[in-house]
Amino acid sequence: MKNGVTIALSKGRILEDSLPLLRRVGIVPNEDPTESRRLVLDTNEPGVRLVIVRATDVPTYVRYGAADIGFAGKDVLLESGDGELYELFDLGIARCRLVVAEPRREDGAGHAPIRPRVATKYPNIAHRFFAARGVQADIVKLYGSMELAPIVGLADRIVDLVSSGRTLQANGLVEVDQITPVSAWLVANKAAMKLKHEAITSIMGRLELAVRA
Ligand code: PRT
Ligand code: MG
């Protein structure tokens, strides 16, 4: 859209926290995205529309200008970011942390393997983390249920997101290192930032105020 602003959001956790934040800045979708099957939603604000995509796809939509701005998890940005979009500021929503976890040992003794096998959805982040510590890790890329990998002997450790810690606990895992805190960030397409400067900075400014409040 030439003058409108398209915002990319993802279903699930980010959407749950995004809708109240958008409402606080006066942007309300015409249909409830948690109920609707529609992937493009107009809002009460003329020209502003939402597109609902997979969490890992938000940076791609924004990078190619299919959306002008987006709400993207820092985990996704760290894993696949290439500097081709602006990471404007931390929205402080969908908070969690990216950690290294391993099976809890009864004897409490840590006997970490010299060359651990690590299951994760984040091979780039995991590789950088272990390499920086001089640990040569074999990374096994998974698309979900990382917590299962150590139970069935697929991996010694996992790198995964944790919020309450209940999933780790339920699967007999303990956190051994925190890699980084994670939350959703406002990202913007570089060209749109110039071409639609006024419209985008208006939304950006309102979001920034709402986040700080
Ligand atoms: O579900 P789908 O396959 O479409 O994609 P997705 O799983 O990537 O989407 P979704 O909705 O799960 O959202 C993912 C984004 O939400 C992530 O990229 C993070 O930025 C953010 N986020 C925040 C989280 C969590 N908190 C979180 N706890 N994403 C996932 N989790 C998972 C975690 O992987 C683990 O399985 O929740 C479980 C742990 O929760 P606790 O509370 O038991 O510790
Ligand atoms: Mg999910």
Side-chain angles (χ1 to χ4, degrees):
M1 223 189 295
K2 195 131 197 313
N3 291 307
V5 175
T6 300
I7 307 175
L9 299 175
S10 57
K11 272 226 153 86
R13 292 163 217 266
I14 292 192
L15 188 63
E16 265 165 46
D17 287 5
S18 301
L19 291 177
L21 178 59
L22 285 169
R23 193 173 313 116
R24 278 199 278 147
V25 305
I27 298 172
V28 182
N30 290 346
E31 263 179 77
D32 179 359
T34 58
E35 300 285 327
S36 175
R37 285 171 184 265
R38 223 185 263 275
L39 299 175
V40 182
L41 299 163
D42 287 321
T43 69
N44 63 320
E45 194 159 309
V48 176
R49 61 175 189 170
L50 310 180
V51 293
I52 313 294
V53 304
R54 284 289 288 267
T56 41
D57 290 336
V58 169
T60 308
Y61 277 77
V62 173
R63 182 188 164 163
Y64 288 97
D68 301 304
I69 57 178
F71 291 8
K74 191 69 183 178
D75 51 326
V76 173
L77 294 169
L78 287 170
E79 179 62 19
S80 57
D82 55 7
E84 289 303 313
L85 41 76
Y86 291 127
E87 295 182 15
L88 296 174
F89 60 87
D90 188 349
L91 292 162
I93 58 172
R95 283 179 189 280
C96 56
R97 52 195 197 276
L98 191 62
V99 309
V100 182
E102 64 178 30
R104 185 188 309 109
R105 292 184 218 291
E106 298 309 324
D107 54 16
H111 40 92
I114 293 167
R115 188 169 172 168
R117 204 196 282 174
V118 180
T120 186
K121 205 167 135 179
Y122 305 97
N124 295 323
I125 299 174
H127 175 80
R128 285 197 299 266
F129 178 79
F130 287 105
R133 302 187 157 208
V135 175
Q136 196 184 356
D138 287 326
I139 311 289
V140 180
K141 160 97 189 189
L142 292 178
Y143 292 86
S145 304
M146 266 66 71
E147 300 86 359
L148 177 62
I151 298 175
V152 295
L154 177 60
D156 306 300
R157 297 183 187 170
I158 64 169
V159 165
D160 195 10
L161 299 174
V162 173
S163 41
S164 70
R166 280 196 290 270
T167 306
L168 287 185
Q169 201 187 1
N171 290 288
L173 299 169
V174 287
E175 187 176 325
V176 289
D177 265 309
Q178 172 166 315
I179 300 179
T180 180
V182 166
S183 54
W185 279 60
L186 182 68
V187 297
N189 176 271
K190 288 189 171 176
M193 202 63 186
K194 293 200 190 83
L195 297 171
K196 303 178 180 180
H197 191 260
E198 231 170 276
I200 292 177
T201 49
S202 155
I203 295 176
M204 205 177 111
R206 283 144 66 196
L207 283 170
E208 208 167 2
L209 280 177
V211 167
R212 281 217 221 105

